[in-house]
Each structure stands twice: as C-alpha cells, then as structure tokens.
Amino acid sequence: MQYDVIIVGGGIIAAALAESLALAGASVLVLEAQNAGAGVSAAGMGHLVVLDDNPAELALARDGLERWQRRRAVLPAGAEYRECGTLWLARDGEELAEAERKQARNRTLGLDCKLLGRAALYAAEPNLAPGFAGGLLRPDEAVLYPPAACSWLLANAQALGARLLEHCPVAELAEGGVRCADGREFRARAVVLAAGTASPELLPGLPLKPRKGQLAITERYPDLVRHQLVELGYIKRAHAATGDSVAFNVQPRATGQILIGSSRENEDTGAELNWPLLGEMLELAGSMLPALRQCRILRAWTGLRPATPDGLPLLGPVPGRTGLWLATGHEGLGITTALSSAALLAAQILGRKPELDPAPYWPQRFHQLSGSALHA
Amino acid sequence: MTEARFELIVLGAGPAGLAAAKAAADSGREVLVLDDNPLPGGQIWRGGPDQAPNARARAAFSALQHPRIAYRPGARLFAAPGPGTLLVELPEGGCRLGYGQLILATGARERFLPFPGWTLPGVFGLGGLQALAKGGYPVAGKRIVLAGTGPLLLAVADTLKARGARVLLLAEQAPLGRVARFAAGLVRHPAKLAQAVALKSRLLGIPYRCSSHVLEASGRERLERLRLSWGGEEGFIDCDYLGCAFGLLPNTETGQLLGCTLAAGAVAVDDYQQTSRPGVYAAGEACGIGGVDKAQIEGRIAGLAAAGRPEEARRLFPARAHARDFADRLAEAFRLEPALLRLARPDTLICRCEDVPLQALQSCSSWREAKLLTRCGMGACQGRTCGPMAETLLGFEPRGSRPPLQPVSLETLVSALSPTDPR
C-alpha cells in the first residue's frame, strides 16, 4: 500500500503531525522505534512557554501555546494540563530592570504579563528565599504531562485512519519510502523524519546535536510552589556557557509533585546521571526555595534535547531529496511548539499556504543542507 | 559531608550479612556493615540482639562485637554514583562511602497479588502482620485469618496466637498433595522436621486448609468479611484482620543499581557468590529465596571469597548444596496456583501509590508504556509492590530501577554530593 505520508518517530512532534495530516484527509503511517512518546517527549519538563529572545522562535512558540490553550477543554485528564503561569524571578535591581524591558517587549507583542514588586512576589510565592527584588508573571502559560498528550494526539490520528506501528525501528530512508529493521518496506509520497535525537542516524550530517539535561521530581507537596518558577538569569546561564551549566526552573505538577530542573551538558551524551551536576542543580533549587531542602526526591533522570546550532527547529523539505521532510531539532520547546510545528509542516506537505512564515525553519538555512550534499 | 573508605562494605545485617561480615573479619578484613533498619537481624531476627529468639541468632549477633567490624544502623543506601562509591543517608545526614569490595545481603520482601479489597485497612502482609505484632501492635482478641503459602503461615500463626489473637484459619494455596510430599521430604532435613512438628503441635485447633485462598476482602471503612475458596468450595468468614502474602521476592534493586545481572528474578552469582560485577558479591535471599540456613552459608562463602580465601569457601559448597536442596523443595511445594493470578477484577487497584486499576494496564504492552501512560509504579514505593504484580499478571518485562534507590531529601542528596571538607 502507498501512504500519503510516513512519519519516522512517534514523539509528540510526530504525533501532532500525524493528527494534522490525518485531519486533512491524508493517509498516514507512524513508525516508532520503541514506545510512542517514550523518547525526548517523556524526558522533558512539559512546559508550554513563550520565550521572546528570537522572533522566529517566539512566533512558533506563541502559535503553539495558543493551539494548546484552544484545545485545553478537550484534553484528557491524564494530560494534566495546568495553567500555573510562568513567574520569572529577578534577584536584584539589574534583573528587575530586565524584567521591565521584557514586560515592555511582551506588551508590544500583545502577550499578557504582569510585573510583580517584592511584596506581590512573596504574596504569590511565599516559600521563595528572601532577597528577590521582584518578578514577571506570564499568567497564561502552562505545564502538561507529555506522554499522555502524545498518546492522545496519536489516538486522534488513529481514529482518523492513521496507522501506528510501535517497536518498529526504521533502518533506511529509501527513495519514496522507508525500509524497517525487520525488513518490511513501506512506500509513501512523503517521508517525514521526526525521530528527535535519533534523526542523524538515518540522515548523517544533520546539524543536530544531543544536549543532555537532568531532572528530578519530588514526592507530593501540594502548594509548596504555585507557578512555574524560572530565574531571569536562566538564559544567561543556559546559553552563555559552552561547558556544563545548571539553571533554576521548578514546576508544580498536577499531582502535587515538584519537578526540578535544569541542566545542560554539551559533550556527554550518555544516559547516566552526572551526579556532581545533579548536586549543583539541586543545591541551586534549594537555595531559591529553602522549603525544598526537606522535600524527598523520588526520581532523577536524564534526557537528550535535539539541538540545532541556531536554536530553531528543522521544519521543511530536505534540499535535493524529493519527498523527504524534517520535523526535529526543537531542543527544549518541542512540547510548546508541537501543534504549531505540525500545522506549519502539514500545510507545506499538502501544498497549502501555512499560517506562519515557514522560511526561518527551513533546513536549507544550514550550508550542509543547502545543496544535495546529504545522502542517506 | 563525611567521607570514608572501607575494604569491604556489607549491605544488610540479617543472617547472610552478619555471616559474611564475620567470615571476612575473621580473615583479617576491615568491614563496615550497613543496615537500613534501626536494629540488626534482618526480617527474621528483627528484634535485635536483646530479643534474639535462640542460640543461633545470639551467635550471629556476636559478629557485631568483632573488633574489625563497624556497624551502622539506620543507613539507607540511595545511589551508587560511580565504581567503588556509595551515597548513603545516615541519621545525621548524607555521606559518601568508598569501598574495595561489596557484599549484597539485602534480603527479601513479601510478594503480594491483587484481589478485590486487598488495599482495605485491616489487610496486611503476612510477615508484615507478624512484625507489627512483635513490635507491640495489639492483636489480642482479634479475629485473624492468615492466607498465603509456605511455612511462614505457621510461624506467623504461632506469633499471633502467643499474643492472644484468635487465629480463625490458615489458608494455604498449595494443594494437599504437594504439601504432604514436602513434609515427607523433611526427613532429609531433620532439624527442619523437628521445628515443623513443634510448631504444628502449638497450633493444634487452628484449621489449616490446603488449596485455599482469599477471593475477596470487603467492608465499609475497613476489613469486615472475607470470601474464600477452600478446596474448591466458597465460603465467608467475618474477621478483623487478614495477613496475606504469597511467598517472598528477592530484593534485587541494590544489585540492579550496581549493574549486576539478574537471573530468575534474583541477583545472579557464581560458585563463590560473586555477581557479574567483579568485587561485588551477593548472599542470602537476594540471590534466591531459601531461608536462614542457605543465607548463613552463602554469607560465609561470600565473606571468605571476598577476603581471598577461596579454599575455605570451597569447603562450604556441600553444605550450601544441601541448603539449596531444601530451598528447591520449598519452591516446588509452594509454587503459586494459576487461579491466584485471576482474582483481580478490572477495577482492582494494582498500583496503590498512583491509584492505577488493572484495566488501565491491560491496554499497555510493556512496563515502560504502563509507567508512561498510567503512572503505574511512579509513586513513593517506586514500583516495589506493583512492578512484580504486573510482571506476574501481565507478563511485563522486569522493571529497571531509577535513582535514587529510595526517596531521599534534597538536602541529604546535596550534602552527600558536595565536595569533601578539607581537614
């Protein structure tokens, strides 16, 4: 049988894309190497946030957040959508001034946000360590549980006729289709590579690097924090360093648990925990939220973010490879931008006009993808 | 942060751990024994030296007086961040311990199987109820049914009866034929036979029914009534408590944390009790359920082997073979009847921590998928109860383990990882 589209990968990007394509009437086959949603999607924090430091990233994230918000009422309970808002914390006057500039930018863009002085900040988050100057609240941002959201998107796609094969790793991207590790071959007019950090295995030379992160989750402590908390120094810390870094980012989960992040490693790509770095990350979290020090850590784990050199995803056709598309490289914003990435790419695959300008995300922006240099 | 290094660390101060520590210390090794309970003795001698039930236990506890053995109770291992290093929570905080060799004597826990009502207050584990009673939990005058399998049923009944409980019934799941063959085979193990006879005579008057198990526990707020199957017939018993478990499961999580290979649900070991990780040994229930004789002999072998005395260890191989023979007979006689795997209804909880019923798991194809989609095993017990249930009932793959091994406070974790103070 000839499919319209084969999607290689079963994470949240693949799931959202399968749903978008199936909704438009396309016949879709999703091939997942392990369990759907068990890779990058399951390892991350599940935040829906709009960062404003890059116009293209902002456009995709904002569209993504709005799409999640519109579908909030129909999400299953297990997806644990929680509109906790994001509270950016300013440690001092300098960071508070940055918060004010951020507020001004957000207002220009029409993004709802509220500057909190010291008193308002401590009223909003009584367990914060003393000494913060204030904060900036983005009230409509949210967190969710990605494996359940991914599973829901795939179930929607399947209800519309899409086919999902799990535990079916793809061995090769062939002309007009794929060949699986078990020898089966499937044909399609379009093949989308959406395999997260595994994507370069099928397309060597992709400008994609795994960027390792670590997370820890506590037992249940309802109301210890109320918003997703991020330090304004986050961007500095997360992106300045070429080496390993930690930044403060915690979330109140729907279960009452507190999810603690974050860290970035550029060289190590093993699944093992980096214990010294985990210690640094938790020490930082405990210094920001002293009550957290007595909380019991239930689990800690690692994950790999699929990162591109310019921080934008790879969404679009592979130059020189007829019918081959990319949907990967979302680094830490894959959950936020799953629905917008899917809409953007589905429109292009189906030959329709996308709502957003697709050019900033096209793979051809990288020289190694600009000619026909890539051959599987 | 405190940091210290030991030639040999023994994890667990039960029969296997105490025997291993003594054998190694007698051979000149400096040994640290860590145990997460407040008192030594493991599950079998859990009252510690002051309540040692017999001369054998007293002799085993004497290891703790050995000049080359240091002992730390209340020590919870939570991570093994690299070769030769353990992170441990001590009563005073987190600490990092280095070791040259390691002996795992982590024991066993009870195996639970789900049936409707198994999570009601008043329903306990079998060994759990015994431990509570020994610890002073009031059972006098209470109507108690004990259900499960193996000699533990009799031992628990003995404890409860001695404390004034009204034990109404011992429901043994295994059929009479197998139990009778096992009893006849005890001739090869005369000491065990004598124990069994003495125990049975103290329990005269308490009905002991084979081919019997609980079908359902019910009650409004707590357990009030049991529906049971005995020898193919069904009946009801009103009672206050149920003690129920289905044998023991090796505690393999520490072995898994250290990367040791498992076989048949236990830590795999060679003739010298060494695991797949060089320098890491295992002894006792952790490498196969078999009781106190097997545990002590394996502990001695592990201790001698770790101390570089393989010849002396070899001399204990015949005794170990004899003890393992008993363990094999026990396992065969009291293997679980298939009917026990069909008691849960679709709405019966499997994961108590995260409230996951059986029906939510039936659409999943693996433990990984079940965790992702239902949160099964993601709660405070980290899947120690529901993981084996899902393996047995649904054929899921054995679960892996994610650090920390046990929940640990952020402060303890940070302090164990912080750089050593210069001295």
Side-chain angles (χ1 to χ4, degrees):
Chain A
M1 150 164 194
Q2 165 103 6
Y3 291 91
D4 292 325
V5 186
I6 290 173
I7 302 173
V8 180
I12 198 152
I13 302 290
L17 183 60
E19 190 204 39
S20 289
L21 290 165
L23 204 55
S27 62
V28 180
L29 172 65
V30 178
L31 296 171
E32 159 62 42
Q34 297 164 40
N35 289 110
V40 182
S41 304
M45 293 187 83
H47 45 223
L48 307 178
V49 296
V50 180
L51 302 179
D52 58 5
D53 49 349
N54 169 327
E57 182 177 280
L58 182 140
L60 197 63
R62 184 178 181 173
D63 185 43
L65 175 63
E66 287 169 3
R67 286 172 190 271
W68 283 116
Q69 287 169 342
R70 286 201 292 275
R71 302 186 70 179
R72 177 184 178 178
V74 293
L75 275 171
E80 295 174 0
Y81 188 101
R82 182 171 180 187
E83 193 180 87
C84 55
T86 306
L87 185 48
W88 292 83
L89 304 173
R91 288 179 195 251
D92 49 28
E94 191 189 335
E95 288 190 353
L96 195 59
E98 168 58 23
E100 283 168 20
R101 284 193 294 277
K102 200 172 161 72
Q103 184 193 29
R105 277 199 306 274
N106 282 345
R107 284 217 171 127
T108 320
L109 298 163
L111 290 170
D112 188 12
C113 68
K114 195 170 150 193
L115 196 67
L116 305 184
R118 190 184 298 268
L121 175 68
Y122 285 98
E125 289 293 351
N127 286 313
L128 271 180
F132 283 96
L136 184 71
L137 177 65
R138 283 271 299 116
D140 61 347
E141 294 184 337
V143 297
L144 54 68
Y145 181 60
C150 180
S151 167
W152 172 72
L153 289 167
L154 281 169
N156 292 346
Q158 286 172 285
L160 294 161
R163 183 178 176 204
L164 166 68
L165 287 178
E166 292 180 285
H167 306 286
C168 186
V170 168
E172 194 187 342
L173 305 175
E175 190 71 37
V178 302
R179 195 172 52 74
C180 297
D182 61 11
R184 277 187 289 179
E185 293 184 3
F186 297 99
R187 304 198 58 74
R189 274 194 286 279
V191 173
V192 183
L193 182 55
T197 50
S199 300
E201 291 166 24
L202 291 168
L203 205 57
L206 267 191
L208 199 64
K209 240 182 88 167
R211 188 165 288 163
K212 182 170 170 174
Q214 309 196 112
L215 294 172
I217 196 161
T218 66
E219 293 185 348
R220 298 178 180 204
Y221 302 97
D223 217 33
L224 193 132
V225 283
R226 298 166 184 172
H227 305 83
Q228 163 158 246
L229 302 179
V230 195
E231 51 173 336
L232 271 162
Y234 176 86
I235 304 290
K236 268 197 302 232
R237 285 182 193 261
H239 296 295
T242 47
D244 304 344
S245 64
V246 296
F248 175 68
N249 183 0
V250 303
Q251 295 178 349
R253 303 298 304 185
T255 52
Q257 295 172 287
I258 299 163
L259 182 55
I260 307 171
S262 63
S263 73
R264 277 180 152 69
E265 285 173 78
N266 289 309
E267 299 311 320
D268 182 13
T269 57
E272 296 291 303
L273 281 169
N274 177 336
W275 286 94
L277 198 66
L278 183 72
E280 270 181 58
M281 182 182 102
L282 294 177
E283 190 169 19
L284 176 65
S287 73
M288 299 281 201
L289 271 173
L292 210 48
R293 290 187 185 136
Q294 301 313 314
C295 295
R296 297 183 87 80
I297 303 294
L298 187 56
R299 264 189 310 282
W301 67 94
T302 66
L304 298 172
R305 310 170 178 95
T308 61
D310 63 2
L312 288 178
L314 297 162
L315 290 170
V318 179
R321 294 283 301 265
T322 312
L324 183 60
W325 301 74
L326 292 178
T328 184
H330 291 76
E331 197 168 348
L333 285 175
I335 311 300
T336 306
T337 64
L339 301 180
S340 51
S341 295
L344 183 66
L345 195 65
Q348 295 176 76
I349 292 171
L350 299 168
R352 299 174 184 175
K353 186 176 161 26
E355 289 176 38
L356 296 179
D357 173 12
Y361 321 101
W362 279 338
Q364 68 192 44
R365 69 185 186 274
F366 293 107
H367 68 89
Q368 62 267 55
L369 287 169
S370 60
S372 53
L374 269 188
H375 296 285
Chain B
M1 211 282 323
T2 53
E3 178 161 5
R5 200 187 142 76
F6 294 82
E7 284 184 295
L8 176 63
I9 293 181
V10 176
L11 295 172
L18 293 173
K22 179 159 193 311
D26 284 345
S27 308
R29 288 287 195 271
E30 294 288 336
V31 186
L32 172 67
V33 179
L34 298 176
D35 193 280
D36 55 4
N37 290 299
L39 291 170
Q43 294 306 314
I44 186 167
W45 302 323
R46 53 184 295 126
D50 294 343
Q51 291 181 39
N54 50 40
R56 178 187 199 168
R58 278 189 293 279
F61 281 124
S62 72
L64 299 176
Q65 311 305 322
H66 198 290
R68 280 188 293 277
I69 295 179
Y71 162 62
R72 287 301 311 256
R76 299 166 74 245
L77 169 68
F78 63 87
T85 308
L86 303 176
L87 302 186
V88 177
E89 180 178 44
L90 294 170
E92 66 269 25
C95 116
R96 194 156 61 220
L97 297 174
Y99 63 85
Q101 289 173 305
L102 198 60
I103 297 177
L104 311 177
T106 50
R109 63 178 180 274
E110 295 191 273
R111 175 200 282 279
F112 297 109
L113 291 172
F115 52 86
W118 75 280
T119 55
L120 269 179
V123 179
F124 299 90
L126 196 50
L129 185 54
Q130 184 184 39
L132 282 173
K134 284 185 178 174
Y137 190 83
V139 293
K142 296 291 181 192
R143 300 163 303 161
I144 301 180
V145 171
L146 300 176
T149 198
L152 184 64
L153 269 176
L154 304 176
V156 177
D158 188 37
T159 301
L160 297 177
K161 192 181 170 202
R163 283 163 177 76
R166 290 170 55 201
V167 181
L168 305 180
L169 173 72
L170 303 182
E172 164 62 62
Q173 60 89 34
L176 179 61
R178 281 203 261 126
V179 177
R181 270 200 303 283
F182 173 75
L186 284 181
V187 175
R188 291 162 189 267
H189 300 270
K192 300 275 179 207
L193 183 61
Q195 265 175 30
V197 169
L199 199 51
K200 268 307 256 238
S201 66
R202 286 203 298 275
L203 297 175
L204 283 178
I206 300 179
Y208 177 88
R209 300 281 188 93
C210 289
S211 295
S212 301
H213 59 265
V214 175
L215 294 169
E216 181 173 10
S218 58
R220 273 182 305 265
E221 301 288 311
R222 47 172 299 109
L223 175 66
E224 292 169 8
R225 167 175 274 203
L226 295 172
R227 187 163 63 88
L228 293 114
S229 162
W230 43 45
E233 288 175 39
E234 282 191 23
F236 291 89
I237 294 186
D238 291 341
C239 64
D240 301 306
Y241 299 146
L242 167 67
C244 183
F246 296 91
L248 299 171
L249 285 172
N251 285 326
T252 58
E253 286 79 6
T254 305
Q256 286 174 280
L257 179 77
L258 292 157
C260 300
T261 304
L262 303 189
V267 178
V269 290
D270 66 12
D271 282 350
Y272 294 94
Q273 302 295 137
Q274 187 168 226
T275 69
S276 61
R277 305 292 280 195
V280 178
Y281 298 78
E285 307 289 56
C287 47
I289 301 305
V292 62
D293 294 355
K294 170 180 166 294
Q296 286 193 308
I297 296 165
E298 288 184 350
R300 251 175 256 137
I301 293 173
L304 289 168
R309 305 213 165 171
E311 286 312 314
E312 284 173 58
R314 286 190 76 83
R315 274 183 232 134
L316 296 170
F317 286 3
R320 181 180 59 189
H322 186 67
R324 284 181 179 172
D325 170 72
F326 175 73
D328 291 344
R329 286 166 187 278
L330 202 63
E332 165 55 24
F334 298 103
R335 74 182 135 82
L336 298 181
E337 288 292 294
L340 296 171
L341 309 185
R342 296 190 290 265
L343 301 176
R345 294 199 197 114
D347 64 347
T348 303
L349 288 186
I350 304 296
C351 176
R352 279 184 297 194
C353 303
E354 299 286 330
D355 293 345
V356 184
L358 178 63
Q359 62 200 2
L361 299 176
Q362 282 168 328
S363 60
C364 298
S365 60
S366 66
W367 177 246
R368 173 81 176 129
E369 186 180 340
K371 276 177 71 180
L372 278 176
L373 297 185
T374 70
R375 292 188 176 283
C376 189
M378 305 270 274
C381 90
Q382 297 167 318
R384 281 175 172 79
T385 301
C386 62
M389 282 185 187
E391 273 176 54
T392 312
L393 265 62
L394 300 163
F396 288 172
E397 79 281 10
R399 70 206 168 89
S401 76
R402 258 184 176 160
L405 196 55
Q406 314 185 62
V408 62
S409 77
L410 182 142
E411 189 165 51
T412 298
L413 216 159
V414 168
S415 73
L417 288 167
S418 66
T420 316
D421 300 327
R423 295 201 177 148

